[in-house]
């Protein structure tokens, strides 16, 4: 019996060590793609979020704080939702490739034709068409809408978000990451409330390196 227990313990230790080795390999690959400075910024974002959690929940494990916050957020019970500090956000976008880089472009011409408002951009080969929609009880003012659209910039992606490129490289066999990447591809970024519902559904380990990063970014 004693021999059997020793063998079992040895197997468990070997199994845990192998899991740790695989996880470290994933983290190393992720950080090598995202970059050294980007990794530091990402750690800073997670740290800032956990400081915020500490201000809400006291004397609890950090995993419990994540879960409580996500439950409250999913139910719409958080009045002051955490966001990345605006000054730091500018620093991240300017000094690193952590976030996607965009450029603002304005339409060259906007006109109304066949019940549609049409916009033409020199950067595009196609024409973007919009159906005018009445706002509440206000009548549609085509001239006002044309003026507004002509002076409203659109954002074009210049450089992909390095975070998601790195995340894509380690997604294999991780159902949560695969789902989040697919949703972003199909629908764009997931808002905080919907993301909280997704995380609660998957019930992940909130101490996990990638779970923390996925929520905070």
């Amino acid at each position: 019996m004693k021999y059997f227990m020793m063998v079992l313990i040895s197997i468990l230790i070997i199994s845990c060590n192998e899991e740790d080795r695989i996880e470290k390999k994933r983290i190393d690959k992720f950080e090598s793609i995202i970059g050294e400075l980007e990794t530091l910024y990402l750690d800073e974002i997670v740290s800032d979020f956990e400081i915020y959690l500490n201000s809400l929940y006291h004397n609890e494990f950090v995993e419990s704080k994540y879960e409580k916050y996500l439950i409250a957020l999913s139910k719409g019970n958080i009045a002051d939702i955490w966001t990345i500090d605006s000054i730091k956000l500018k620093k991240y976008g300017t000094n690193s490739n952590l976030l996607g880089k965009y450029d603002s472009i304005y339409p060259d011409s906007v006109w109304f034709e066949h019940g549609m408002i049409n916009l033409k951009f020199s950067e595009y080969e196609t024409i973007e068409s919009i159906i005018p929609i009445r706002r509440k009880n206000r009548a549609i003012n085509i001239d006002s809408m044309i003026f507004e659209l002509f002076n409203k910039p659109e954002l074009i992606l210049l450089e992909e978000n390095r975070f998601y490129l790195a995340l894509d490289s380690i997604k294999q066999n991780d159902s949560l990451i695969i789902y989040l990447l697919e949703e972003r591809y199909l629908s764009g970024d997931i808002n905080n409330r919907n993301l909280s519902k997704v995380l609660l559904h998957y019930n992940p380990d909130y101490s996990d390196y990638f779970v923390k990063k996925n929520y905070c970014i």
Side-chain angles (χ1 to χ4, degrees), residues 26-182:
R26 292 178 75 217
I27 292 173
D28 288 345
K29 183 177 182 180
F30 175 85
E31 292 183 350
S32 69
I33 292 174
I34 200 172
E36 184 176 354
L37 180 61
E38 288 75 10
T39 297
L40 290 175
Y41 284 164
L42 195 53
D43 289 341
E44 183 178 73
I45 292 170
V46 172
S47 176
D48 286 346
F49 177 61
E50 292 187 351
I51 289 172
Y52 164 80
L53 287 181
N54 290 337
S55 71
L56 294 180
Y57 311 108
H58 309 285
N59 303 319
E60 296 184 49
F61 292 113
V62 66
E63 293 84 0
S64 176
K65 294 175 183 179
Y66 269 85
E67 187 171 23
K68 280 193 171 184
Y69 177 77
L70 293 174
I71 290 173
L73 184 58
S74 69
K75 296 179 178 179
N77 293 334
I78 295 291
D80 184 21
I81 298 175
W82 179 84
T83 57
I84 299 174
D85 178 81
S86 59
I87 296 176
K88 289 186 176 181
L89 185 63
K90 185 177 181 180
K91 177 184 73 173
Y92 302 146
T94 302
N95 299 340
S96 76
N97 293 314
L98 176 60
L99 308 174
K101 296 187 183 299
Y102 296 84
D103 188 21
S104 297
I105 61 171
Y106 290 84
D108 298 292
S109 56
V110 182
W111 71 96
F112 182 73
E113 186 177 30
H114 304 307
M116 308 277 281
I117 296 180
N118 305 284
L119 299 88
K120 188 177 186 305
F121 297 85
S122 58
E123 289 82 357
Y124 299 155
E125 295 182 359
T126 58
I127 294 173
E128 181 181 339
S129 298
I130 299 173
I131 300 174
I133 298 176
R134 174 183 290 185
R135 299 176 180 175
K136 296 182 179 180
N137 295 323
R138 295 167 55 188
I140 295 175
N141 186 325
I142 298 298
D143 291 336
S144 176
M145 293 183 71
I146 288 176
F147 178 81
E148 181 181 341
L149 290 169
F150 189 77
N151 291 281
K152 180 181 178 181
E154 287 199 8
L155 297 178
I156 56 172
L157 181 65
L158 298 177
E159 188 173 338
E160 180 59 276
N161 186 318
R162 184 71 66 83
F163 173 78
Y164 289 108
L165 290 175
L167 202 62
D168 187 71
S169 72
I170 52 88
K171 68 182 180 182
Q172 186 177 10
N173 299 324
D174 192 318
S175 58
L176 174 58
I177 291 178
I178 290 172
Y179 175 82
L180 292 174
L181 288 172
E182 287 179 348

Side-chain angles (χ1 to χ4, degrees), residues 168-212:
D168 187 71
S169 72
I170 52 88
K171 68 182 180 182
Q172 186 177 10
N173 299 324
D174 192 318
S175 58
L176 174 58
I177 291 178
I178 290 172
Y179 175 82
L180 292 174
L181 288 172
E182 287 179 348
E183 279 298 299
R184 183 174 183 272
Y185 176 77
L186 294 173
S187 309
D189 291 333
I190 306 174
N191 64 48
N192 286 338
R193 188 171 183 182
N194 287 339
L195 178 56
S196 67
K197 293 178 181 178
V198 171
L199 289 173
L200 290 168
H201 172 75
Y202 276 85
N203 190 30
D205 175 3
Y206 294 106
S207 66
D208 181 80
Y209 177 94
F210 294 106
V211 172
K212 290 185 175 185

